[in-house]
Amino acid sequence: KSYPVHCAILSGSLSLFKWLVDDLHCPINSKRRKLPMSPKGPLASLAREQVRSSKGSSVLDVAMEAQELGILHYLVIEKGVSIMDYKNLFVALRTFEATLRHLPVRFRSTARNSNG
């Protein structure tokens, strides 16, 4: 069993994913874990548990494994999902490398020129 948000990620459609989450209010978080203190800011997302498919995959898991950079940006920047709990180091590093490769040229050329 997969939720519509998982299927949208696998389709690679950021607009479909945003429509499901923002307009249709499909959940990406299922419940809150009890923490000793109510965190604010970036740590607030640690208190939320993500919706999981029948295979145990969260929306973050699926987006990381599929290297859906636009969806990852949306999850982290706009929805406050933290990647700090992500467990698969290989997938995390592969996705980070893909992210760096997609940086605008001006960032890549600046790094090369600053070495000289």
Side-chain angles (χ1 to χ4, degrees):
K1 171 184 165 185
S2 289
Y3 289 92
V5 288
H6 293 93
C7 296
I9 295 168
L10 291 173
S11 78
S13 175
L14 174 60
S15 59
L16 174 60
F17 185 75
K18 289 174 84 170
W19 177 71
L20 287 169
V21 174
D22 293 337
D23 296 341
L24 297 185
H25 307 288
C26 286
I28 57 174
N29 297 308
S30 59
K31 56 187 171 183
R32 292 190 172 268
R33 289 182 280 180
K34 295 200 179 217
L35 295 179
M37 294 175 38
S38 177
K40 294 182 179 176
L43 295 179
S45 63
L46 295 177
R48 291 178 284 203
E49 194 166 308
Q50 294 179 32
V51 169
R52 296 195 176 270
S53 69
S54 60
K55 293 182 180 178
S57 298
S58 69
V59 291
L60 180 64
D61 294 331
V62 176
M64 290 285 278
E65 289 165 13
Q67 293 186 3
E68 288 298 336
L69 304 182
I71 292 173
L72 285 167
H73 180 271
Y74 171 77
L75 285 171
V76 173
I77 303 302
E78 294 186 38
K79 293 300 179 184
V81 172
S82 174
I83 60 171
M84 298 307 291
D85 286 336
Y86 191 75
K87 303 280 189 264
N88 190 327
L89 181 60
F90 174 77
V91 171
L93 290 173
R94 186 184 67 178
T95 304
F96 179 61
E97 182 176 357
T99 302
L100 292 176
R101 290 184 190 281
H102 282 88
L103 284 176
V105 174
R106 69 176 187 265
F107 291 114
R108 289 183 270 157
S109 61
T110 302
R112 263 187 250 130
N113 292 337
S114 66
N115 292 334

